[in-house]
Amino acid sequence: MNTTNNIVPAQVIALKKQRVILKTETNEVITVNVSKGKKKDKVFMLTMADLLRSGLWIPVNRTLRQLMRYDWLDTPVKSYAF
């Protein structure tokens, strides 16, 4: 299986109880389940709300239905060198 086609850019279009709903460039709707731990993580949920408002594109694995874990989501600000 070619995994490079599974990683696609998507926009957050809705936040539901335990789900983040995203739309790809080809208008495919992807639903990502949010773990209970992430649901209670205020920074994560605020980030998802900000992404919903801003319309920024983020990487999503369409097959696994998971948000990709890259620096934009996981690296603390203090780790960046300015």
Side-chain angles (χ1 to χ4, degrees), residues 10-22 30-35 38-60 66-70 72-74:
Q11 292 176 311
V12 177
I13 59 170
L15 296 173
K16 302 294 180 182
K17 291 182 181 184
Q18 294 286 342
R19 296 184 179 100
V20 176
I21 314 297
L22 304 113
I30 299 172
T31 301
V32 175
N33 291 324
V34 178
S35 68
K38 287 287 188 194
K39 182 69 178 163
K40 292 179 182 178
D41 181 346
K42 290 182 183 183
V43 172
F44 176 81
M45 292 312 294
L46 286 172
T47 300
M48 291 299 111
D50 285 345
L51 289 168
L52 173 64
R53 281 189 295 276
S54 70
L56 290 176
W57 295 86
I58 59 173
V60 177
Q66 293 179 340
L67 300 174
M68 299 306 298
R69 298 183 69 165
Y70 290 116
W72 66 271
L73 188 58
D74 285 337

